Amino acid sequence: MIKDGQRKSRGFSQIFSKDIAIDLGTANTLIWVKGRGIVVNEPSIVAKTIDTNKVIAVGNEAKEMLGKTHHNLTTVRPLRDGVIADFEMADGMIQGFIRKMNLSRIARPRMVICIPSGITPVEQRAVRESAERANAREVFLIEEPVAAAIGIGLDISQPVGNMIVDIGGGTTEIAVIALNGIVAKEAIRVGGDEQDRAIMNWFHDEHKLDIGYATAERIKIEVGTGYGSKLVSVNVKGRDMVSGIPKTMVIPPEEIRKALWETLQQIIGAMKRALERTPAELSADILDRGIILTGGGALLKGFDEILREETNLPVHVAEEPLLSVVRGTGMVLEDLKHYASIMF
């Protein structure tokens, strides 16, 4: 049996009428096919021609072109801050992933798509329309924190408070969930992408070193928050903004903590605001059960330790946090009747 994290987006026999669940994320798109599990897990990136706007690659193939394109080729991210920013490219990306799935052109699947809890009705409509253009028969939406809670195995129907912090590429979603609903929530448009930009800006301002997004992301993954004694200095390669010549610097982990501190404080502040709005009885549950981190940002080294110090609450990182949302969305897809009350 192929494990979820090892599933490939190629090589499946043609899919004719299987329903699909989509975690349409700012950084990555994951697609779950009913009865099969995860079949696509690729970056939310499109490569297109500038003169004709023709999509030539999506996902992994487009990411390989990042920062290496010529005058008539560019790479774009159709989603920004968790919502569709470029409708035409989002359509092209979804169609590209569906082609990789080998979905039959005559298929009209039902789709369950997770969305940020703080998006506007206009943004919701944009997601629906994009799915309908991908030939969906029916479109159901579910909020990301709810999907994440289901995906990590919580029974959200019980009268017990569960606090989920889903840190994605473009947004951080904080929700206290009980009785199949969100009791208190806070959403901010700060996530992994904003942290990458913070690292780039730090090197630009403090060291006059120009680095790209890929380098900033690598630094973030290797060093994380710069919290803890086991971390070592990191080699950073970029272009010296004074001389214009490529340059390598050795940076201690404490600097990366400084670079990320403002974004971390924004997430912590949002969590505290959600806790302030949480009823006392549910607050007691959170004190016992703790806060659960999901999404790619949950993997940021040392962040769980910082949260424990800031909140004095237990903090747990979900198992395979990158897959929590798509697993939950897939579980909803597998039993639409059971989860009918949490979709819209």
Side-chain angles (χ1 to χ4, degrees):
M1 179 179 288
I2 301 174
K3 294 181 180 179
D4 283 345
Q6 298 174 327
R7 294 183 189 273
K8 304 293 184 182
S9 58
R10 300 182 186 275
F12 289 95
S13 58
Q14 192 169 48
I15 300 169
F16 285 93
S17 59
K18 293 288 188 180
D19 298 335
I20 63 178
I22 303 177
D23 174 10
L24 197 61
T26 304
N28 293 284
T29 293
L30 296 93
I31 300 179
W32 175 294
V33 172
K34 187 173 184 179
R36 293 191 175 183
I38 300 169
V39 298
V40 169
N41 182 359
E42 298 194 22
S44 301
I45 302 176
V46 175
K48 67 169 186 172
T49 57
I50 293 175
D51 56 355
T52 63
N53 248 15
K54 180 183 177 182
V55 174
I56 64 168
V58 301
N60 289 327
E61 294 86 351
K63 186 176 182 179
E64 290 175 1
M65 304 178 189
L66 203 60
K68 304 175 183 178
T69 54
H70 53 71
H71 69 282
N72 191 38
L73 197 63
T74 188
T75 54
V76 296
R77 290 176 178 259
L79 288 100
R80 188 176 301 118
D81 299 331
V83 297
I84 296 175
D86 186 329
F87 302 113
E88 184 178 354
M89 288 302 104
D91 286 346
M93 184 178 73
I94 292 171
Q95 293 293 342
F97 286 137
I98 286 176
R99 282 194 296 272
K100 289 187 178 191
M101 292 166 54
N102 202 22
L103 186 68
S104 169
R105 292 183 179 180
I106 64 172
R108 296 205 63 208
R110 289 181 294 185
M111 292 188 188
V112 179
I113 304 176
C114 62
I115 57 171
S117 60
I119 72 171
T120 66
V122 172
E123 290 166 336
Q124 288 182 27
R125 188 164 62 249
V127 173
R128 284 187 185 277
E129 290 175 354
S130 184
E132 288 166 357
R133 283 192 290 269
N135 213 27
R137 182 171 81 251
E138 288 182 281
V139 181
F140 304 97
L141 304 181
I142 180 173
E143 293 174 302
E144 284 182 11
V146 175
I150 294 170
I152 61 180
L154 298 178
D155 183 356
I156 63 171
S157 67
Q158 296 300 310
V160 177
N162 297 286
M163 187 170 191
I164 305 295
V165 179
D166 180 36
I167 310 169
T171 60
T172 294
E173 305 273 325
I174 301 116
V176 177
I177 302 169
L179 295 171
N180 282 333
I182 295 178
V183 180
K185 67 180 179 180
E186 187 75 23
I188 57 171
R189 298 196 171 184
V190 174
D193 289 349
E194 190 68 23
Q195 291 173 340
D196 293 342
R197 282 191 288 269
I199 292 172
M200 291 172 65
N201 292 338
W202 176 269
F203 281 95
H204 182 280
D205 297 338
E206 298 295 325
H207 299 290
K208 298 296 183 280
L209 189 72
D210 188 15
I211 65 173
Y213 275 102
T215 298
E217 184 179 32
R218 177 183 64 82
I219 294 168
K220 179 183 68 178
I221 292 170
E222 289 183 5
V223 183
T225 62
Y227 188 93
S229 58
K230 295 181 181 180
L231 296 174
V232 297
S233 298
V234 60
N235 290 328
V236 180
K237 297 178 181 179
R239 180 176 59 84
D240 190 306
M241 296 172 61
V242 177
S243 67
I245 297 173
K247 178 180 179 181
T248 300
M249 300 185 69
V250 180
I251 302 296
E254 292 77 16
E255 276 208 35
I256 308 306
R257 188 193 311 181
K258 292 177 183 178
L260 291 175
W261 192 246
E262 184 178 346
T263 63
L264 299 179
Q265 285 300 307
Q266 288 178 285
I267 295 172
I268 292 167
M271 291 174 60
K272 289 180 177 179
R273 290 193 296 273
L275 286 167
E276 287 170 0
R277 293 197 295 271
T278 302
E281 291 297 327
L282 296 182
S283 294
D285 293 333
I286 295 168
L287 185 62
D288 293 334
R289 300 164 71 89
I291 298 167
I292 303 174
L293 304 182
T294 69
L299 297 172
L300 191 68
K301 293 176 181 175
F303 189 42
D304 55 337
E305 297 177 60
I306 291 174
L307 287 179
R308 289 187 193 103
E309 288 188 359
E310 292 283 335
T311 63
N312 292 317
L313 292 170
V315 178
H316 314 288
V317 177
E319 185 179 350
E320 294 187 292
L322 284 165
L323 304 180
S324 300
V325 171
V326 73
R327 279 183 174 154
T329 311
M331 290 167 68
V332 170
L333 177 72
E334 300 284 347
D335 194 351
L336 289 173
K337 289 184 179 179
H338 179 73
Y339 291 106
S341 65
I342 64 172
M343 297 183 295
F344 50 94

